[in-house]
Structures are given as structure tokens and as C-alpha cells.
Amino acid sequence: MNLLKDKVVLLTGAGGGIGRATAEKLAQCGMKIILFGGNNVEKLKQTQEIVEKYSAGLAIPGDLTNPDFIRTGVQKAAAHFGGIDVLINNAGVAQNTAFEDISLEEFDKIMAINLRTPFILTQQVLPYLKNSSSATIINIASVVSHAGYPQQSIYTASKHALLGMTKSVAREYYKDNIRVHAIAPGGVYTDMVKVSRPDLTPDGMILPSDIADIVHFFLANRGNAVIDEIIVHRVGKEPFLV
């Protein structure tokens, strides 16, 4: 029995990388996918075409730093599919800047996308999740939620904060049967990692499809055993280090 069929997922950062791989994986299970936010309409359209090979998809492009867009977009998405069962906060921006060279504009941009957007989205989606029997929030954090890397201080701060928010929201709403998870990947070979870690090559890197498989695992295995967070490192990284 496919428990995921016809469940509705709202996913950010769907234009490529982890987002596109996740959209395809969940659509293959019959889930309805809302590709939420982002101004590259062409990339969202490409992901929507992939999704619609398997299930229903809806692209809602827009500025994820604009609270009004988030509010109206969530309402539009919920009205289109009759509710929302899953929120995946995946959109993010990276950094490769020496601490003393970080501008306030860069600070604000990173915090806006990596923390403020998931905060507003979670607030807006929670009323719909409370009406779902499979309510789930998955926040794509990072290994820098647990460690600090040079040249990534503000990115690291944003992901520490995202993990902290994840923990608090999980504890606040678990009695409402809302599961809140974090996935903390190391180097996933996407366009974003090319910015934050230009020294890395594709060899031995985590693939977007690997993270999509973990997202699917959380959703497809909703039993009495609950995993709060999964930390993922690439194959060449020494185990139990971040």
C-alpha cells in the first residue's frame, strides 16, 4: 500500500540540485509537488515537467525573501491541492568570504534565505499541517549546523540557527502529530557547493539523489520509531567527523 500517494508536498529550491532530485523522487511515489519560490521560471518549468511524468505538479515562482509572496503563495498552493501535508525547506545560499570582508548585504541575504524564509514558511504552513494525518517538516540543514568552516561564518551561523529552530519546533508541535526533521549533509555536488567549496570535485561527493532518498525514507517510514536528524558525510570523509 502506497501511503504517500496524493499527499501534497511544498518544496523550496526546486529549480535544481537536491530540490529537483527530491521533487522527482516523491512524484514517483504519487505525491503532488508544489515547486515553491525562486525567480528562475525556466528551471522551475523543467522540474515541473519532470514531476508531471509521474504525478501532479504546480510551480509558484516568486521571491522567497518577500513575506507577502510566501503568504499568498501558500494560500494558492493549499487551495489548488486542498491542503498541504509536507513542507521541505530546501532553498539556501552559500558563502565563500573571509569574515572581515563580509558585507551587511551578504549577511542579510544569507540569513533571509537560509533562516527567515523557513521561519515564515513554517508559520504559514502549520495550520494546514495540523489538519494532516502525515504532517511533516523537513529542513535541509548542513554539517555546518554542527561545525564551523573557514570562509563560511555567516552560512554556518544561519545553519546553526536553522537546526536550533528545527529542534524547538519539533518539541513544540510533536503533540499535534507533526514530525519535524533535519537532514545535515556534507558536500553535495550542486551549484551551491561550487560556491562554498570550490576546492571540491565531483569525485566521491554526495549526489542530490542520495539526499532525495533520505527525504523519501522519512516520509515512507512514518512508524513508531522516529529519527529526528540524519547527518550525512561523503564517502571519502572520515566517519563521525563533521
Side-chain angles (χ1 to χ4, degrees):
M1 182 178 181
N2 183 1
L3 298 178
L4 300 184
K5 183 173 174 56
D6 293 329
K7 299 298 183 182
V8 180
V9 181
L10 190 149
L11 167 69
T12 64
I18 293 171
R20 178 172 290 177
T22 299
E24 181 174 11
K25 178 74 176 182
L26 300 183
Q28 289 171 344
C29 302
M31 302 187 83
K32 299 173 181 178
I33 314 297
I34 303 157
L35 311 171
F36 194 85
N39 293 314
N40 193 322
V41 177
E42 184 58 34
K43 283 189 174 182
L44 285 177
K45 182 180 178 182
Q46 291 169 359
T47 304
Q48 184 175 7
E49 290 173 355
I50 293 170
V51 164
E52 290 179 343
K53 292 178 183 178
Y54 310 101
S55 185
L58 174 67
I60 304 180
D63 182 2
L64 285 171
T65 66
N66 184 338
D68 290 334
F69 161 71
I70 294 176
R71 294 186 189 101
T72 58
V74 168
Q75 291 171 3
K76 177 181 178 181
H80 184 84
F81 283 127
I84 299 170
D85 301 290
V86 177
L87 168 63
I88 303 175
N89 286 307
N90 168 67
V93 290
Q95 170 209 357
N96 184 21
T97 312
F99 183 82
E100 60 197 281
D101 296 329
I102 299 166
S103 66
L104 284 176
E105 290 77 15
E106 184 175 17
F107 178 96
D108 289 342
K109 177 184 176 181
I110 292 169
M111 286 298 184
I113 292 293
N114 293 359
L115 181 62
R116 188 169 178 261
T117 293
F119 162 72
I120 298 171
L121 257 175
T122 300
Q123 280 192 330
Q124 294 301 309
V125 173
L126 271 171
Y128 302 102
L129 296 182
K130 288 179 179 180
N131 293 322
S132 171
S133 61
S134 53
T136 308
I137 300 169
I138 298 176
N139 292 327
I140 305 300
S142 167
V143 293
V144 301
S145 300
H146 299 273
Y149 290 171
Q151 312 284 105
Q152 298 184 43
S153 54
I154 306 308
Y155 176 65
T156 296
S158 71
K159 291 298 187 176
H160 267 69
L162 179 62
L163 182 59
M165 186 174 74
T166 302
K167 293 175 180 180
S168 290
V169 174
R171 295 194 67 180
E172 190 166 346
Y173 290 99
Y174 82 97
K175 290 183 179 178
D176 293 303
N177 201 31
I178 299 174
R179 303 278 178 90
V180 186
H181 308 287
I183 302 174
V188 183
Y189 200 68
T190 63
D191 289 340
M192 191 172 80
V193 84
K194 296 172 189 176
V195 173
S196 61
R197 292 292 304 277
D199 57 304
L200 297 177
T201 67
D203 297 335
M205 294 284 284
I206 302 165
L207 300 178
S209 59
D210 295 324
I211 305 304
D213 287 342
I214 296 171
V215 171
H216 173 262
F217 176 84
F218 274 133
L219 299 177
N221 295 276
R222 190 185 176 89
N224 292 332
V226 182
I227 299 172
D228 295 321
E229 179 187 15
I230 291 180
I231 302 174
V232 189
H233 67 82
R234 49 197 165 93
V235 67
K237 191 87 169 180
E238 189 175 346
F240 292 98
L241 291 178
V242 292

